[in-house]
Amino acid sequence: GRGAEGESSQAVSYSVSFSTGTGQEVQTENVTVAEGGVAEITCRLHQYDGSIVVIQNPARQTLFFNGTRALKDERFQLEEFSPRRVRIRLSDARLEDEGGYFCQLYTEDTHHQIATLTVLAVAPENPVVEVREQAVEGGEVEVSCLVPRSRPAAILRWYRDRKELKGVSSQQENGKVWRVISTVRFRVDRKDDGGIITCEAQNQALPAGHSKQTQYELDVQYSPTARIHASQAVVREGDTLVLTCAVTGNPRPNQIRWNRGNESLPERAEALGETLTLPGLVSADNGTYTCEASNKHGHARALYVLVVYDPGAVVEAQTSVPYAIVGGILALLVFLIICVLVGMVWCSVRQKGSYLTHEASGLDEQGEAREAFLNGSDGHKRKEEFFI
């Protein structure tokens, strides 16, 4: 867009008037306007007697001759032609419209007066944002912002994630306008791909608080990554398994390769881009499956270990468990019984040996008593009895 539209901002000053020999006078007004605005050019007439009045542009082309249009430029409209004044309206003012407009009064002597039109401000258009070279992960990117024409020179600012970046600006005067360019450099990573950077332009020709902005989406290239997702966690014989290779990368890898270790893929396998379908699984399909992807920045590889479970084998194993438990319990009971029997025999032997020992001891004591009773002994002062 050309910037602000609406009422013109005018600064008016009266030029020196002139009078003809008949006493007629002409006065003009200098006008200032913003580009794209509306300007009014007025010639004031005093003691006008009906003489010819001609209005010309800075190139001395006649716009109106006594109230009649002479130049086919619809931006100029005759608003008033009266004995007191001639007023024309200029819409969508441009820089090339700037200059002196002649108000001529033809009498015995031709005289003219000039109304100077000044296009004071040119609003910046939407900035043009460009990247000089392709951004790559881990490197730096340089982004430029250009406003080809503004008056006064536009002020350019950079924003990224709502934070202002420090740029380097330069400006060049080109005729009546200024060419302004700003550049900014920063390091990028893969997470910056798709990020937004904004260039904002402002000058006095725009309403307060307004600006022209251009947003640029960053294109950061990086090496690929790969990860395999399975359609189900546990697979059994007869199931259909779908493996999906989730790939990222910029540029995105356009070819994905599927392999199974050092073996070839099963004949039933269907590899189609990012998916590998394995119908009617059997234990022979077990193995390590890989998907591979690459771009000009690197290579990625993902692994998936396939183990197919046999439901029959699982049931048989589950059925054999109770018998093993029962057998273990029986073996433990037999062991305990044997231990008890051994303990009983050992205790029995210990008790019998102790009885015989005491019996022998009793016989010895009986013999000593008998001998003492029969023979007597002088050394004994009392008679002792022995009970057996």
Side-chain angles (χ1 to χ4, degrees):
R2 294 184 177 275
E5 295 184 357
E7 296 182 358
S8 61
S9 174
Q10 300 183 0
V12 179
S13 63
Y14 289 98
S15 66
V16 178
S17 63
F18 73 89
S19 62
T20 67
T22 58
Q24 297 183 90
E25 289 186 358
V26 177
Q27 289 181 327
T28 57
E29 301 170 356
N30 294 332
V31 181
T32 60
V33 64
E35 186 183 45
V38 177
E40 288 189 352
I41 302 171
T42 303
C43 297
R44 297 185 182 276
L45 305 176
H46 298 276
Q47 299 181 9
Y48 176 63
D49 62 359
S51 300
I52 297 175
V53 179
V54 176
I55 308 296
Q56 293 181 328
N57 64 16
R60 299 306 298 267
Q61 296 172 317
T62 299
L63 298 174
F64 295 94
F65 182 89
N66 253 13
T68 303
R69 178 184 295 278
L71 184 67
K72 293 182 179 180
D73 189 340
E74 297 298 328
R75 295 181 303 125
F76 291 92
Q77 297 291 330
L78 183 62
E79 294 289 309
E80 181 181 353
F81 186 87
S82 70
R84 298 186 59 184
R85 62 181 176 180
V86 178
R87 182 166 54 92
I88 61 175
R89 177 184 176 91
L90 169 62
S91 302
D92 190 19
R94 303 169 185 171
L95 279 178
E96 53 266 30
D97 298 325
E98 195 173 58
Y101 286 77
F102 295 82
C103 184
Q104 298 189 114
L105 182 60
Y106 289 87
T107 58
E108 296 178 358
D109 297 320
T110 301
H111 298 278
H112 69 267
Q113 191 62 275
I114 298 175
T116 301
L117 174 67
T118 302
V119 181
L120 180 63
V122 178
E125 298 179 355
N126 289 330
V128 179
V129 180
E130 295 178 341
V131 175
R132 293 192 176 182
E133 57 185 24
Q134 177 63 56
V136 180
E137 177 184 22
E140 284 192 340
V141 60
E142 181 175 325
V143 189
S144 65
C145 177
L146 170 66
V147 173
R149 58 192 304 273
S150 61
R151 184 178 177 183
I155 298 174
L156 303 183
R157 293 185 177 90
W158 290 97
Y159 295 94
R160 181 185 179 197
D161 298 331
R162 298 183 180 180
K163 296 180 180 179
E164 185 171 354
L165 301 178
K166 185 177 181 180
V168 179
S169 297
S170 62
Q171 55 190 33
Q172 179 182 1
E173 191 172 6
N174 185 13
K176 298 180 179 181
V177 296
W178 292 87
R179 181 180 187 270
V180 185
I181 187 169
S182 177
T183 58
V184 65
R185 292 181 64 90
F186 51 89
R187 187 170 295 276
V188 292
D189 200 350
R190 65 178 59 202
K191 69 179 185 307
D192 298 316
D193 185 43
I196 300 298
I197 185 170
T198 303
C199 179
E200 178 185 81
Q202 286 182 320
N203 77 352
Q204 293 128 331
L206 294 172
H210 289 70
S211 64
K212 292 297 182 70
Q213 295 184 349
T214 297
Q215 292 185 333
Y216 182 84
E217 182 176 344
L218 293 173
D219 178 24
V220 181
Q221 294 191 351
Y222 54 91
S223 59
T225 62
R227 186 176 181 181
I228 296 178
H229 300 282
S231 59
Q232 56 195 75
V234 179
V235 290
R236 298 176 176 82
E237 284 194 350
D239 288 351
T240 296
L241 178 65
V242 178
L243 300 180
T244 301
C245 186
V247 176
T248 64
N250 187 15
R252 184 175 178 81
N254 54 15
Q255 184 177 3
I256 296 178
R257 297 176 297 276
W258 288 93
N259 299 289
R260 181 175 65 156
N262 297 325
E263 303 178 71
S264 60
L265 293 174
E267 295 183 358
R268 305 178 314 282
E270 301 176 3
L272 183 61
E274 296 182 355
T275 61
L276 175 67
T277 304
L278 299 169
L281 289 172
V282 295
S283 59
D285 297 331
N286 290 343
T288 301
Y289 291 77
T290 64
C291 72
E292 299 180 10
S294 61
N295 63 14
K296 63 181 180 180
H297 299 292
H299 177 84
R301 184 168 180 259
L303 306 177
Y304 176 81
V305 178
L306 173 62
V307 178
V308 180
Y309 293 94
D310 183 357
V314 174
V315 172
E316 182 179 353
Q318 292 176 347
T319 305
S320 63
V321 170
Y323 293 103
I325 295 175
V326 172
I329 294 175
L330 291 176
L332 180 60
L333 289 175
V334 171
F335 175 74
L336 292 174
I337 291 173
I338 293 174
C339 291
V340 170
L341 292 176
V342 170
M344 292 177 64
V345 171
W346 184 79
C347 292
S348 175
V349 170
R350 287 279 296 177
Q351 291 175 358
K352 184 176 181 181
S354 176
Y355 172 78
L356 292 175
T357 300
H358 287 292
E359 184 179 8
S361 177
L363 291 176
D364 292 340
E365 293 175 354
Q366 183 180 6
E368 293 177 358
R370 181 178 297 131
E371 183 178 357
F373 179 77
L374 293 176
N375 298 328
S377 176
D378 295 336
H380 293 279
K381 295 180 179 181
R382 70 175 186 269
K383 184 178 180 180
E384 294 181 359
E385 294 183 355
F386 293 90
F387 297 93
I388 299 175

